[in-house]
C-alpha cells in the first residue's frame, strides 16, 4: 500500500513565525510532489509543486524535497492568520496519492 | 491553471434516489478524476473518468453505484445511485493538465442524504 503520511496537527504558530509542515512518502517511484491548501468548507487549492531534490521558493512558501529520505516539507514564512487551513501533501507516480493533511493554526 | 465548475454546488436528497453531478473544465485536459471527501477527512479517489471509454474505478467503488461519463475532453458527470445516508459527503471533480503536470480541483458538491 503506497502511502503519504502527515501529522494531523493542529500545528499552532504565532503570527509572523515560520510554519514547517512535513510529509513522508513510501513509493520510491514517485516523481512529483504537491502541496495543496484547503480552507474549511472549500476545495483544495494548489500552492506548490516540486520535482527535483532541494528547495523551491515561491513568495512566502518554500517546498523542500529529499528523495533519499522520501521526505517533503513546506515552509511558510511570516505566517498570517489567513494561512490557517489544512495543508495536503500529495505524491504522483502513476497516480496521485494524498496525505490526510495537517491543520495549521496561525495565532494573531 | 484550469478553471473547473461543478453543478449542483449542494443538494439534499432522499434515500433511494440518484443524483448526477456535472463537472465542466474551461480547457481540454488529459485526465479527469472524481473524489469523495468526508468531513474532516482527506480525499478518497473514486475513479478516473476516461474520455471515450469506461471509467477506471478504485477499490471499493463500483460502476453500478457511481456511474461516470466523459463524453469529451472538458466535461464529465458522476451519478451517485440509490443513495443512502452513508453517501453524504463532498464530491470533488478534478482535472489533470499534462502540460503543467498538475491537478486542479473544482469547488465541490456537498451532498446530504436523508
Amino acid at each position: 500500500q503506497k502511502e503519504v503520511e502527515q501529522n494531523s496537527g493542529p500545528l499552532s504558530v504565532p503570527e509572523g513565525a515560520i510554519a514547517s509542515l512535513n510529509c513522508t512518502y513510501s513509493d520510491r517511484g514517485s516523481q512529483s510532489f504537491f502541496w495543496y491548501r484547503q480552507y474549511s468548507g472549500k476545495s483544495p487549492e494548489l500552492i506548490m509543486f516540486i520535482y527535483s531534490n532541494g528547495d523551491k521558493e515561491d513568495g512566502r512558501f518554500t517546498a523542500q524535497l529529499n528523495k533519499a529520505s522520501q521526505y517533503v516539507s513546506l515552509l511558510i514564512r511570516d505566517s498570517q492568520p489567513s494561512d490557517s487551513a489544512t495543508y495536503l501533501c500529495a505524491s504522483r507516480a502513476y497516480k496521485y496519492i494524498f496525505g490526510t493533511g495537517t491543520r495549521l493554526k496561525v495565532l494573531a | 491553471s484550469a478553471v473547473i465548475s461543478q453543478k449542483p454546488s449542494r443538494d439534499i436528497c432522499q434515500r433511494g434516489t440518484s443524483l448526477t453531478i456535472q463537472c465542466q473544465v474551461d480547457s481540454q485536459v488529459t485526465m479527469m478524476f472524481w473524489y469523495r471527501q468526508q468531513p474532516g477527512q482527506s480525499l478518497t479517489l473514486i475513479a478516473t473518468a476516461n474520455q471515450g471509454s469506461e471509467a477506471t474505478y478504485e477499490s471499493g467503488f463500483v460502476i453500478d453505484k457511481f456511474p461516470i461519463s466523459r463524453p469529451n475532453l472538458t466535461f464529465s458527470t458522476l451519478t451517485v445511485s440509490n443513495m443512502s445516508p452513508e453517501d453524504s459527503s463532498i464530491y470533488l471533480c478534478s482535472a489533470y493538465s499534462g502540460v503543467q503536470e498538475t491537478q486542479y480541483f473544482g469547488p465541490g458538491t456537498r451532498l446530504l442524504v436523508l
Side-chain angles (χ1 to χ4, degrees):
Chain A
Q1 178 82 1
K2 308 297 185 185
E3 293 182 342
V4 172
E5 296 190 355
Q6 298 180 254
N7 188 315
S8 62
L11 171 67
S12 296
V13 299
E15 184 175 359
I18 297 175
S20 178
L21 304 164
N22 305 313
C23 167
T24 59
Y25 61 95
S26 63
D27 185 0
R28 286 197 173 273
S30 298
Q31 299 172 346
S32 47
F33 305 86
F34 305 85
W35 283 100
Y36 288 83
R37 178 176 61 198
Q38 187 172 24
Y39 292 114
S40 180
K42 301 294 186 183
S43 63
E45 171 193 8
L46 180 68
I47 297 176
M48 292 194 70
F49 57 89
I50 186 168
Y51 306 134
S52 304
N53 275 327
D55 295 0
K56 179 181 178 182
E57 188 175 315
D58 184 1
R60 296 187 297 114
F61 299 99
T62 299
Q64 299 176 318
L65 174 59
N66 184 325
K67 289 187 178 179
S69 300
Q70 296 178 246
Y71 179 89
V72 192
S73 65
L74 178 70
L75 301 178
I76 306 175
R77 289 182 299 282
D78 187 24
S79 295
Q80 301 297 310
S82 59
D83 295 325
S84 298
T86 297
Y87 290 79
L88 300 171
C89 173
S91 70
R92 184 179 72 86
Y94 66 95
K95 70 175 185 178
Y96 279 79
I97 300 174
F98 283 85
T100 54
T102 298
R103 192 155 61 98
L104 173 67
K105 297 174 104 172
V106 180
L107 308 173
Chain B
S1 64
V3 177
I4 304 171
S5 59
Q6 280 184 241
K7 290 194 296 186
S9 59
R10 61 179 65 238
D11 209 341
I12 300 173
C13 300
Q14 295 298 318
R15 180 195 300 261
T17 62
S18 298
L19 176 72
T20 295
I21 303 168
Q22 298 180 5
C23 177
Q24 180 74 54
V25 188
D26 69 340
S27 58
Q28 293 185 349
V29 291
T30 309
M31 301 173 79
M32 295 179 73
F33 304 96
W34 288 97
Y35 288 84
R36 183 169 72 181
Q37 188 174 34
Q38 306 279 8
Q41 304 294 315
S42 190
L43 303 167
T44 300
L45 180 63
I46 297 172
T48 302
N50 300 310
Q51 194 267 327
S53 63
E54 194 171 282
T56 304
Y57 290 86
E58 296 299 305
S59 176
F61 297 96
V62 295
I63 188 172
D64 290 346
K65 176 67 175 177
F66 298 100
I68 288 170
S69 77
R70 189 177 174 196
N72 56 52
L73 292 176
T74 64
F75 185 79
S76 178
T77 67
L78 167 75
T79 298
V80 186
S81 302
N82 188 24
M83 289 183 284
S84 67
E86 292 70 35
D87 294 319
S88 298
S89 188
I90 298 170
Y91 291 84
L92 292 156
C93 167
S94 75
Y96 172 76
S97 168
V99 173
Q100 298 171 330
E101 296 188 358
T102 50
Q103 185 177 181
Y104 298 94
F105 287 87
T109 295
R110 286 152 184 76
L111 172 62
L112 176 63
V113 184
L114 302 178

